[in-house]
Structure formats: C-alpha cells, structure tokens
Amino acid sequence: MSKPTLTARFLTTEAGAPVADNQNSATAGVGGPLVLQDQHLLEKLARFNRERIPERVVHARGSGAYGYFEVTDDVTAFTRADFLNTVGKRTETFIRFSTVADNLGGPDAARDPRGFALKFYTAEGNYDLVGNNTPVFFIKDPIKFPDFIHSQKRDPFTGRQEPDNVWDFWAHAPEATHQITWLMGDRGIPASYRHMNGYGSHTYQWTNAEGEAFFVKYHFKTNQGIRSLSSEQGAELAGKDPNSHQTDLLQSIERGVYPSWTLYVQVMPAAEAADYRFNPFDLTKVWPHADYPLQRVGRLVLDRNPDNVFAEVEQSAFSPNNFVPGIGPSPDKMLQGRLFAYADAHRYRLGVNHTQLPVNAPKAVSGGRAANYGRDGLMATNGYDRHAKNYEPNSYGGPVQTNEALSAPLAVSGHTGTHEAPAHTKDDDFFQAGELYRLMSEDEKKRLVDNIAGGLSQVGRDDVIEKNLAHFHAADPDYGKRVEARVHELRED
C-alpha cells in the first residue's frame, strides 16, 4: 500500500492532488480566455457557489458554544435519566442562542424572543432541549405556526417587517397577549445572551425508575444576573454592532469568563394535571411558583467556543423528539407539532444524514454513528462493516430493540377530530397577562405601554387596532386604558 507523500503544508484539490498555482487561472495563451480544463478553478468556483445552505426559517441568526452540565441535586425520585442520576456527574453540552423572526443578517439587539437550544451528549444518546428566553409563547396550537411566522417576517411585497401584519395576526390570536406582555416589557431585548434566562417553555414528562410519571418545566436562571436594553439602547447598539451578542459571547469565553446558568424544574405529579386550574399543557400559560416551587437540579457552564461557526453553529441541529430514557413528551400541542417539524427542517436544510456531522453526532455510540439500519441518502459516510445488514430483524447479530419505553405512556380517550383544548377553571387568554402586568413597577408599566403603542400606532386599520386594544383591556382595565390612550396620542402626532 502506498504511503501519503503530501504534507499538510501543500495545497491540494478536493481529490487530494497537489495544486501547482492558486493565484492564476489557466488561459489559452497569455491574456487569452480561460480554459474549461482548469479543474482547480472550476472546483473552487463550484464549491464556493454551494458553501451556504438554506438559512433556518426561524431562529436564523444564532451563536453557539460548548460546555458542560453538572448535577448538583438529587432528582432520581422524578427521573431515571442517566445523565441526571448522580450528584457531581458532568455531561458535555452544546448550546445555540438565536433571535427568532429576523433573517441571518439581522441585528442581535432586536426586540425578539431568543432561542435557547441545548444539546446534552449523554451516555444514552443525545437529549435536545429546545426552548426560549421566555416561559411562554404566542400560540398554543402548531397549525397556527406557519401563519404566525409569516406575519412576523418580511412581507413578500415590501420586503420588510410590517406592523400591519404583526398586529393583525395578534388581533386574531388573543392567546398571544401574555407573550406580547413579556416581549414588550423590560426583558424584550437582552443585553447579551449571558444575561438572560432560558426556559424549556413546553411541558415535558419525567419518569422515575418505578415508572411514576411527572410533568416538568425547565428554568435556566442566569448566574450573571438579568440585564436588558431599552428600545433606544437596542436600536443604538444594533446600528453600532449588529453582532453585539455574538461578540460578547465569544469574547467572554475567550477571556475565561465562562457564563453559567442554574437549572431548576417545576414538578407536577401526572395525576394532578387534569384538575389543575390552568391547562398545564398550554404553551401560553405558566405554572405559578406558589403552586409548583422551583427545585434545583444543576448548573450549565459554557467554556469553549466553536472552531468553525458554519460547521458547528449553523449545521447544529436540535430536535425536541431526541429524548433519552426517563424523559418524554407531554400532551402539549405545540410540543407535539415540533416533535415532527424540527427534525424535518433539518432533513431539508442539512440532509437525512445530518446526525453524522460532528456537532450532532451522539457520543453514546462508537464513532458517533447511530446503531440503526439507515445507510444511504445525501452525504452518507463510510464506516459500516461491509457484512452488516441494512434490515431488521436479521440473523446476523445486528442491533435490536430494548423493549423498554423511554417514558410513561400518555392516556388518551374520546374521538379523533379537531378539538379545542379542554378548559380548566382559570383558563382564558388574558388572566396571566394581567397578572404579569400587575407585577410590574410603575416605570416598567410605562415602558411596556410605550413599546406596545409604538408598534400598534403604526397599523393602518382601525379595526385591527381596536381588536388588540380589547385584549389589553381584558387582561387588566388599567393596562388597556393606558395602551389605548398612548396609541391615540401617537396617532394624533
């Protein structure tokens, strides 16, 4: 067998052949036209044309880092997940922070929810926790999601985000009032990714070794303290440095100032869900801490920057259907929709074999290759035993099922069809938004009203404005009165 003769200091083609000249294209004579046979030129141009994959439809602009999660408290009474079973155990992680609505070139300091997507490389496979920096969201049924995102992103005619579209959708989605109050409040523009909380937002299921089921909500509390920007500060920073949050995260880790978060969970015994005063699976609702106090689990620390933003941050893929034993889904409708949609988005953007990319590959199996029978498709790599079969069951010692469910089964009843979510005693679209408003100081309320009115006053249709004002009145009479007065004031100017 021949040995390699080229060292890393020599430039080669994709096929490994040496490149003689990387500064001058081949021509037909001095000063003549280029020749088709210049394989190196054609390869460079063709590769350059294909260097970018489609950006994410949502969460397009993001930053990422590696780190670890360390268990600090015993939670084995609630889950049998291996990476949570011992105090002091550490698990490698990768996180991607992001804005939601804007394109890849948008500014970091925008008034927008932030994605908080976390991958745990556990000994039982990758566990992906896909959340935001808010505990709630705008809608509670995934069938509304494409329409919601269309209303928030650039208009197909004007090519810009339109207040008419944004507020018209919200006028027809009263359940968004709670999240609007979060978004337009003081935490709507984090000062950096380090200075914001993260939430699983959805309700998930934990199952312990005895098979007992619990519903949980995740809360990552920043240890750097909450810091946010006003609308004026955000606009100024976005103009000065569109990459502000990316720069801050990169430089803090490079300096050895490692950001960290403490993970807490709220735990609800599964039997209590049916009679709880709010629908516990409604993504537009929170569980008040007085009902289900926070219980500490561990801490997340980020201590290493990616070597290549494209390869590791932009090609990172998070899917909430990546569970591990002891953790599973709940009847949360939005979560149920995302169990399909996220993985399908990655299959479109990155290909069916995206889980073989290093940032996505599980560390629980040899060589980062899943032990399954998938073989072909775009960007399939080598590494299987040439005698390995690609079907199951087989008689040749291939991997087999465990017959052990990852989580407890969810009880179902009734008839199939389209149904509204079951109503609980305190279920409406406005109560919790009003509760949040009433928690705010007088200065916080003023800034909230100014932020809402600044956008709503730009809407061209009076009926859309009136529908939105009705939502704020329903949340709290003072809330509605103040927003209405400020909108009218701005429209008269």
Side-chain angles (χ1 to χ4, degrees):
M1 180 179 294
S2 60
K3 296 182 179 180
T5 58
L6 298 175
T7 66
R9 69 187 184 92
F10 289 116
L11 186 65
T12 73
T13 67
E14 298 283 347
V19 173
D21 190 340
N22 193 44
Q23 306 303 313
N24 301 286
S25 302
T27 60
V30 177
L34 303 184
V35 294
L36 186 62
Q37 70 183 38
D38 190 343
Q39 180 262 354
H40 180 53
L41 169 66
L42 300 183
E43 182 178 80
K44 283 187 71 175
L45 294 178
R47 180 179 182 84
F48 180 76
N49 286 344
R50 293 161 175 80
E51 279 186 355
R52 291 296 171 262
I53 57 178
E55 69 175 44
R56 290 167 167 87
V57 177
V58 289
H59 299 278
R61 181 171 182 81
S63 302
Y66 292 95
Y68 63 87
F69 179 79
E70 181 177 8
V71 179
T72 58
D73 294 78
D74 184 5
V75 291
T76 54
F78 308 118
T79 179
R80 62 186 175 95
D82 178 81
F83 78 103
L84 297 175
N85 69 3
T86 305
V87 171
K89 177 176 282 192
R90 288 188 176 186
T91 300
E92 185 180 352
T93 62
F94 181 80
I95 195 168
R96 185 177 186 270
F97 304 107
S98 58
T99 54
V100 175
D102 213 342
N103 294 59
L104 188 59
D108 286 342
R111 185 172 294 278
D112 197 15
R114 299 301 190 276
F116 195 99
L118 186 59
K119 186 181 297 291
F120 298 84
Y121 300 99
T122 88
E124 296 179 304
N126 289 352
Y127 172 46
D128 289 352
L129 181 59
V130 181
N132 284 328
N133 71 327
T134 58
V136 293
F137 196 61
F138 298 94
I139 54 176
K140 51 189 170 186
D141 194 303
I143 204 167
K144 292 186 174 185
F145 190 73
D147 299 294
F148 165 63
I149 295 300
H150 288 165
S151 75
Q152 308 297 301
K153 291 184 75 69
R154 298 174 187 268
D155 181 89
F157 173 66
T158 67
R160 64 186 186 186
Q161 190 180 56
E162 293 291 347
D164 278 346
N165 299 353
V166 171
W167 289 96
D168 184 37
F169 181 89
W170 287 344
H172 292 88
E175 69 269 29
T177 308
H178 193 188
Q179 173 71 323
I180 293 169
T181 307
W182 272 90
L183 178 62
M184 298 300 176
D186 280 359
R187 295 191 184 185
I189 311 177
S192 78
Y193 289 131
R194 297 182 296 126
H195 294 93
M196 68 181 193
N197 290 341
Y199 301 89
S201 301
H202 295 290
T203 300
Y204 294 90
Q205 185 205 93
W206 277 6
T207 309
N208 65 18
E210 288 71 42
E212 296 175 296
F214 303 86
F215 293 120
V216 300
K217 283 187 176 289
Y218 294 89
H219 301 251
F220 288 86
K221 299 289 188 178
T222 175
N223 294 325
Q224 291 70 238
I226 294 288
R227 284 182 52 202
S228 303
L229 304 175
S230 67
S231 295
E232 295 76 18
Q233 291 171 325
E236 181 180 1
L237 183 57
K240 286 183 176 179
D241 181 10
N243 306 301
S244 57
H245 291 30
Q246 162 67 18
T247 301
D248 176 85
L249 181 66
L250 174 74
Q251 292 182 349
S252 67
I253 295 176
E254 288 296 291
R255 295 195 312 268
V257 181
Y258 301 140
S260 66
W261 289 258
T262 299
L263 172 61
Y264 299 87
V265 292
Q266 290 177 282
V267 181
M268 174 189 291
E272 296 180 12
D275 296 324
Y276 186 49
R277 56 191 176 125
F278 305 109
N279 180 354
F281 312 117
D282 181 347
L283 186 55
T284 68
K285 304 286 195 304
V286 297
W287 302 354
H289 294 179
D291 295 347
Y292 295 98
L294 296 179
Q295 302 188 47
R296 193 176 66 175
V297 180
R299 67 183 184 123
L300 169 68
V301 179
L302 304 182
D303 60 3
R304 180 165 67 89
N305 284 311
D307 294 324
N308 184 299
V309 171
F310 176 76
E312 295 163 89
V313 179
E314 292 315 300
Q315 292 195 127
S316 61
F318 300 86
S319 301
N321 60 359
N322 287 340
F323 293 115
V324 292
I327 304 178
S330 78
D332 180 337
K333 274 189 167 186
M334 283 295 293
L335 173 60
Q336 292 283 325
R338 284 172 167 156
L339 297 181
F340 163 77
Y342 274 59
D344 192 57
H346 303 316
R347 284 188 286 266
Y348 162 67
R349 291 183 62 248
L350 302 170
V352 71
N353 290 303
H354 66 271
T355 55
Q356 296 179 20
L357 296 170
V359 70
N360 301 320
K363 300 182 184 300
V365 291
S366 176
R369 178 178 297 282
N372 61 29
Y373 293 90
R375 291 291 185 276
D376 303 329
L378 186 67
M379 297 181 68
T381 59
N382 295 322
Y384 290 100
D385 185 299
R386 64 178 179 172
H387 298 297
K389 303 303 179 184
N390 65 343
Y391 59 89
E392 198 277 335
N394 63 63
S395 304
Y396 297 86
V400 297
Q401 64 195 39
T402 66
N403 293 315
E404 295 181 9
L406 298 185
S407 57
L410 298 173
V412 296
S413 63
H415 301 280
T416 59
T418 56
H419 305 285
E420 292 187 5
H424 293 234
T425 56
K426 282 290 182 69
D427 265 346
D428 64 53
D429 294 323
F430 310 111
F431 176 80
Q432 290 198 353
E435 290 281 273
L436 179 58
Y437 174 80
R438 289 183 285 274
L439 285 174
M440 296 180 180
S441 69
E442 188 61 29
D443 286 344
E444 288 176 316
K445 289 177 180 177
K446 184 181 184 304
R447 289 189 291 268
L448 169 68
V449 169
D450 285 343
N451 291 334
I452 291 173
L456 189 54
S457 62
Q458 299 178 52
V459 172
R461 291 182 53 138
D462 290 344
D463 61 327
V464 172
I465 294 176
E466 293 302 320
K467 286 178 181 176
N468 279 285
L469 291 176
H471 298 166
F472 301 121
H473 279 291
D476 184 276
D478 180 67
Y479 190 6
K481 179 181 178 181
R482 292 193 188 193
V483 173
E484 182 172 4
R486 185 62 177 140
V487 167
H488 289 166
E489 180 182 338
L490 292 173
R491 284 170 65 83
E492 290 172 359
D493 288 347

